[in-house]
Amino acid sequence: GQSLEQPSEVTAVEGAIVQINCTYQTSGFYGLSWYQQHDGGAPTFLSYNGLDGLEETGRFSSFLSRSDSYGYLLLQELQMKDSASYFCAPGGATNKLIFGTGTLLAVQP
Amino acid sequence: DSGVTQTPKHLITATGQRVTLRCSPRSGDLSVYWYQQSLDQGLQFLIHYYNGEERAKGNILERFSAQQFPDLHSELNLSSLELGDSALYFCASSVGAGVSYEQYFGPGTRLTVT
């Protein structure tokens, strides 16, 4: 079967670091994508992990552990504009990305 | 701007009606995906087309159908509309035939069924 778990909401203050966790179960797993979506906007691609370990892109990093079916997105030096929903999306043998309901990040001043 | 265009931006219609949503992928992209986003269900994959052929289906209702035309634009047809079909409908595109981990999303069509 397929399953995906992320926290529904996370709150942090400007300048802080926040980690959004993702656990998944999907057959034929090949990698984990992360997307950001501002309220009312379109999802935009942030990062992808095809191998175990950390991928860094500016203030954002993403981590994958295949053996634990676990990944996380790390956002550093939080800014108000980072307030958005974040989706992890595992890809697998079903030939589709599973997005789920995402994590709503609220950055406070 | 992702380069993916969707029309219309907003659509208000009554129950029982039929509507067509249109999507043009980024230049050079051959794959088109359709997603439905509602508050309680999150972002749900509906269907994937590559170069005119259906590649994968998600939880797409029988009342919904889609196609991709030779010029690569795609249409999502929703019929016998119900109140629960009110949602944001996104299309996304990517280059290859297999499902891409990096998809480019259009601005969406907000459908309201009254």
Side-chain angles (χ1 to χ4, degrees):
Chain A
Q2 297 172 73
S3 68
L4 182 62
E5 280 192 33
Q6 290 181 244
S8 57
E9 292 183 27
V10 172
T11 302
V13 296
E14 238 181 331
I17 299 173
V18 72
Q19 180 173 312
I20 298 173
N21 297 320
C22 170
T23 57
Y24 59 85
Q25 182 181 344
T26 185
S27 58
F29 174 81
Y30 64 78
L32 189 67
S33 299
W34 287 91
Y35 284 75
Q36 178 192 59
Q37 183 182 28
H38 286 99
D39 190 27
T44 55
F45 174 77
L46 285 178
S47 68
Y48 172 73
N49 294 77
L51 302 173
D52 282 0
L54 196 66
E55 292 285 338
E56 298 180 72
T57 311
R59 295 186 297 113
F60 294 2
S61 303
S62 58
F63 172 83
L64 176 66
S65 168
R66 287 172 168 268
S67 59
D68 296 322
S69 296
Y70 165 76
Y72 66 72
L73 181 69
L74 192 72
L75 297 84
Q76 302 182 74
E77 301 171 20
L78 279 174
Q79 301 175 11
M80 297 298 291
K81 68 178 182 179
D82 297 329
S83 293
S85 289
Y86 293 84
F87 296 84
C88 66
T94 55
N95 205 31
K96 59 187 179 185
L97 293 184
I98 311 298
F99 281 88
T101 53
T103 297
L104 181 62
L105 170 64
V107 180
Q108 298 178 340
Chain B
D1 184 355
S2 67
V4 178
T5 61
Q6 288 187 249
T7 56
K9 191 166 183 177
H10 299 279
L11 199 48
I12 301 174
T13 190
T15 53
Q17 296 298 305
R18 172 189 168 96
V19 297
T20 297
L21 313 184
R22 183 187 168 105
C23 166
S24 292
R26 288 189 323 158
S27 176
D29 284 358
L30 298 178
S31 271
V32 170
Y33 314 80
W34 285 98
Y35 293 89
Q36 178 192 57
Q37 186 172 37
S38 56
L39 280 173
D40 56 344
Q41 295 291 319
L43 193 58
Q44 298 273 312
F45 167 75
L46 295 178
I47 200 162
H48 170 203
Y49 277 86
Y50 172 76
N51 204 22
E53 293 193 4
E54 183 184 303
R55 295 283 295 181
K57 251 182 177 176
N59 296 325
I60 187 166
L61 299 172
E62 284 191 13
R63 301 183 286 108
F64 295 3
S65 65
Q67 59 184 126
Q68 186 180 27
F69 295 86
D71 67 353
L72 302 176
H73 91 272
S74 178
E75 293 180 358
L76 179 67
N77 299 295
L78 315 176
S79 61
S80 303
L81 284 168
E82 302 175 359
L83 295 178
D85 297 327
S86 295
L88 254 178
Y89 290 85
F90 288 105
C91 97
S93 73
S94 66
V95 173
V99 65
S100 172
Y101 60 81
E102 183 173 0
Q103 298 177 15
Y104 295 86
F105 281 75
T109 293
R110 183 172 293 280
L111 173 66
T112 303
V113 182
T114 62

